[in-house]
């Protein structure tokens, strides 16, 4: 038995692996683009298969596609949607512009599988289903690829939102657990007025939830589709009812509330919605990097650092220093977010590279969006389960740093004045005496009054301490 079979496309004959479901154009892409060895993400394959499935049904109902052929195409597409034949999608992300190679890879696999369903061998020259005439009917790479990008992002969106939501929940739980821990606040990395550790963690949770809102808002704009615009937005070779029927059918098949873009020419030219969604993930990364860095700083030392929180020890930290444990989950999250921000930069560059009626950089937009989502889902879930839920507070160290904090004098400002407060703080730093001791020695306040004003828990609640007036 031969290892190859002969397939034909508009350029001529091509030798294709005998058992491959793909055909000539896919094989040409494999030969032409041996770049990264990477393959399309499952989200991209799934979304294209859903489009082919919907198109077959819509074209059948419009009387344009034979019902028998349509049924076989729908059945083949359903197999791909279910995750079958994943090894047949082999085109490198760095490929021909617009995504023609990926579109044809999907067309050829579904066409050949549909012919098999109809009882024809894959090498039978009489196999009835054409990848171009039937599977790609009323379509173009130029409208299916941007539609697939939108649908693929929406497909993984629930996973991403769930990961972010779980992280926010875990941070909120720690905010409650640490609410009794009063510690030094820090601004400019210098001592500042007291805060509660729970307040710090509550702020982290709120920031993450704000990013979740941004993700949802940007994803909402991915729901507007330009399918049916075909090559340039004019809808050439598509039935006048095809566009709206496809929007309705895709809504039914995916379970998402999709809508028309309103301007199919814009849908071919502009990838702004994809860039917007990418930017919302970048904003999430910015927050996550900041939180991860705070985790690393607050757990630093432990003997020579802040050591206000302890992170779970998940692996040895050094090949030479026994007993060393590093904040590895926070470090991992940093690296994942740096990578994702690089993905976003690529999406931005590719989005602005669109020209006239088409953005030909769509394959790399698709790859980077799906990679960004994939990496963030995994990284956030790991950080939440292996780090955040196991964080503990080092109450003694937090209280210890606070007791030495000369900024406590800020609470006395409304009574003794800013300049007197500054003098007290300087003397406290120079002598090692407590704020209370210096204030009493200088005769600025009685000891009982100082104790009343230096209620550190009350300081974290805001307001003017003891109803005092202005000062200095």
């Amino acid at each position: 038995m031969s290892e190859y079979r002969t397939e034909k496309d508009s350029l001529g004959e091509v030798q294709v692996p005998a058992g491959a479901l793909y055909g000539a154009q896919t094989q040409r892409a494999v030969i032409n683009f041996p770049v990264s060895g990477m393959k399309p993400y499952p989200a991209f394959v799934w979304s294209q298969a859903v489009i082919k499935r919907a198109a077959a049904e819509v074209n059948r109902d419009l009387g344009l596609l034979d019902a028998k052929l349509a049924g076989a195409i729908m059945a083949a597409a359903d197999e791909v949607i279910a995750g079958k034949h994943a090894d047949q999608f082999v085109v490198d992300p760095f490929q021909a512009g617009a995504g023609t190679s990926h579109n044809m890879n999907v067309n050829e696999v579904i066409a050949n599988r549909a012919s098999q369903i109809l009882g024809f061998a894959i090498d039978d020259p009489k196999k009835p289903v054409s990848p171009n005439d039937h599977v790609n009917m009323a379509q173009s790479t130029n409208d299916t690829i941007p539609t697939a990008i939108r649908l693929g992002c929406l497909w993984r969106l629930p996973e991403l939102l769930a990961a972010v939501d779980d992280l926010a929940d875990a941070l909120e739980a720690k905010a409650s657990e640490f609410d009794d821990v009063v510690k030094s606040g820090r601004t400019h990395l210098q001592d500042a007025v007291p805060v509660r550790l729970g307040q710090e963690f509550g702020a982290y949770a709120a920031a993450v939830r704000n990013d979740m809102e941004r993700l949802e808002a940007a994803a909402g704009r991915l729901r507007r589709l330009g399918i049916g615009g075909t090559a340039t937005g004019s809808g050439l070779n598509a039935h006048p009812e095809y566009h709206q029927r496809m929007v309705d059918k895709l809504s039914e098949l995916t379970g998402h509330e999709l809508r028309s873009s309103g301007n199919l020419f814009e849908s071919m030219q502009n990838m702004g919605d994809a860039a917007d969604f990418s930017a919302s993930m970048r904003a999430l990364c910015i927050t996550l990097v900041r939180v991860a860095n705070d985790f690393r700083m607050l757990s630093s030392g432990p003997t020579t650092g802040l050591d206000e929180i302890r992170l779970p020890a998940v692996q040895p930290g050094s090949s030479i220093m026994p007993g060393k444990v590093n904040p590895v989950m926070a470090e991992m999250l940093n690296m994942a977010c740096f990578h994702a921000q690089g993905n976003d930069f690529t999406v931005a560059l590719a989005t602005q590279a669109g020209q006239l009626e088409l953005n030909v950089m769509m394959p790399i937009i698709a790859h980077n969006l799906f990679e960004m989502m994939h990496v963030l889902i995994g990284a956030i879930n790991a950080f939440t389960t292996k780090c955040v839920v196991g964080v503990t507070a080092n109450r003694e160290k937090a209280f210890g740093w606070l007791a030495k904090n000369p900024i406590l004098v800020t609470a006395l400002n409304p009574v003794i004045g800013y300049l007197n407060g500054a003098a007290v703080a300087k003397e406290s730093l120079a002598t090692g005496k407590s704020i209370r001791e210096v204030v009493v020695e200088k005769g600025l306040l009685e000891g009982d009054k100082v104790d009343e004003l230096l209620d550190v828990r009350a300081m974290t609640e805001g307001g003017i301490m003891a109803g005092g007036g202005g000062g200095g």
Side-chain angles (χ1 to χ4, degrees):
M1 181 178 178
S2 174
E3 295 182 7
Y4 294 92
R5 69 177 192 272
T6 301
E7 291 272 358
K8 293 181 180 180
D9 63 9
S10 59
L11 293 183
E13 294 185 346
V14 181
Q15 295 298 300
V16 177
L21 284 174
Y22 56 79
Q25 288 204 47
T26 302
Q27 184 62 24
R28 289 191 193 279
V30 170
I31 295 169
N32 289 336
F33 310 116
V35 180
S36 69
M38 296 186 288
K39 303 296 187 290
Y41 273 94
F44 204 14
V45 174
W46 173 88
S47 56
Q48 277 285 97
V50 169
I51 292 168
K52 305 303 176 183
R53 165 69 171 75
E57 186 169 352
V58 167
N59 284 319
R60 180 201 66 189
D61 294 346
L62 288 169
L64 301 174
L65 181 60
D66 175 80
K68 188 175 181 181
L69 296 183
I73 292 170
M74 292 160 62
D78 282 337
E79 291 181 355
V80 176
I81 291 168
K84 296 181 179 179
H85 318 303
D87 60 337
Q88 299 299 306
F89 301 100
V90 294
V91 180
D92 199 289
F94 301 94
Q95 58 178 266
T100 299
S101 297
H102 175 70
N103 185 37
M104 286 307 302
N105 190 176
V106 176
N107 286 335
E108 289 174 344
V109 169
I110 291 176
N112 279 324
R113 179 62 191 134
S115 289
Q116 287 181 332
I117 290 170
L118 293 172
F120 290 80
I122 199 169
D123 59 352
D124 190 333
K126 296 182 180 180
K127 56 189 177 185
V129 184
S130 164
N132 296 86
D133 296 334
H134 302 134
V135 181
N136 200 59
M137 179 180 284
Q139 301 156 63
S140 166
T141 294
N142 302 356
D143 67 342
T144 60
I145 295 296
T147 300
I149 290 171
R150 293 168 182 270
L151 295 180
C153 289
L154 291 172
W155 186 50
R156 295 221 72 181
L157 180 66
E159 291 178 83
L160 179 58
L161 293 179
V164 177
D165 192 42
D166 288 347
L167 173 58
D169 284 346
L171 290 168
E172 286 167 351
K174 291 299 171 181
S176 177
E177 180 183 341
F178 300 155
D179 188 59
D180 65 317
V181 182
V182 184
K183 50 160 281 180
S184 287
R186 297 178 180 90
T187 60
H188 303 264
L189 295 181
Q190 305 298 304
D191 296 330
V193 297
V195 298
R196 301 196 301 278
L197 185 60
Q199 290 172 320
E200 283 186 327
F201 273 73
Y204 299 149
V208 169
R209 291 220 181 275
N210 289 342
D211 289 323
M212 187 172 172
E213 287 183 10
R214 274 185 277 272
L215 288 169
E216 290 175 314
R221 291 182 279 276
L222 293 175
R223 300 178 188 276
R224 47 194 180 197
L225 306 185
I227 189 69
T230 64
T232 64
S234 66
L236 181 66
N237 288 343
H239 191 282
E241 297 179 20
Y242 175 82
H243 165 65
Q244 190 56 53
R245 287 193 183 214
M246 281 294 288
V247 172
D248 294 341
K249 180 56 62 177
L250 288 169
S251 296
E252 175 190 326
L253 292 174
T254 65
H256 294 292
E257 294 183 6
L258 308 171
R259 63 187 186 276
S260 170
S261 68
N263 187 311
L264 304 190
F265 291 92
E266 184 273 342
S267 299
M268 305 300 103
Q269 296 174 2
N270 184 28
M271 295 299 293
D273 288 342
D276 182 34
F277 183 62
S278 179
S280 73
M281 288 191 282
R282 182 192 69 229
L284 171 63
C285 288
I286 290 169
T287 296
L288 295 178
V289 168
R290 183 176 59 79
V291 171
N293 285 343
D294 276 10
F295 272 46
R296 294 167 64 197
M297 189 176 300
L298 290 171
S299 65
S300 61
T303 57
T304 59
L306 296 181
D307 190 31
E308 291 182 351
I309 63 173
R310 296 283 176 91
L311 308 183
V314 297
Q315 67 181 53
S318 173
S319 62
I320 189 173
M321 293 173 280
K324 192 172 190 296
V325 178
N326 298 331
V328 295
M329 299 311 296
E331 293 166 347
M332 173 279 298
L333 186 61
N334 279 153
M335 288 186 274
C337 288
F338 299 157
H339 182 83
Q341 289 178 81
N343 293 141
D344 170 70
F345 186 52
T346 298
V347 171
L349 292 175
T351 297
Q352 72 183 19
Q355 295 174 303
L356 302 178
E357 274 62 64
L358 182 65
N359 186 313
V360 301
M361 304 301 171
M362 290 187 292
I364 204 60
I365 293 174
H367 178 77
N368 279 273
L369 281 173
F370 297 140
E371 182 163 282
M372 201 173 184
M373 296 184 80
H374 185 73
V375 169
L376 286 178
I377 290 166
I380 294 169
N381 282 334
F383 180 68
T384 301
T385 59
K386 297 182 183 298
C387 184
V388 178
V389 298
V391 172
T392 57
N394 186 346
R395 286 169 166 79
E396 290 184 2
K397 185 62 71 70
F399 285 130
W401 289 130
L402 180 59
K404 299 175 182 178
N405 184 353
I407 304 299
L408 290 177
V409 76
T410 303
L412 306 181
N413 282 354
V415 179
I416 67 174
Y418 181 91
L419 292 179
N420 282 333
V424 169
K426 290 178 181 177
E427 185 169 334
S428 174
L429 281 172
T431 64
K433 294 179 180 179
S434 71
I435 295 296
R436 184 186 189 283
E437 289 175 315
V438 176
V439 170
V440 172
E441 286 177 2
K442 285 180 171 291
L444 298 173
L445 289 172
E446 296 294 328
D448 291 345
K449 186 63 173 178
V450 177
D451 292 339
E452 177 187 341
L453 293 174
L454 293 184
D455 180 348
V456 291
R457 170 75 191 209
M459 292 182 200
T460 69
E461 301 290 353
I464 301 174
M465 297 302 294

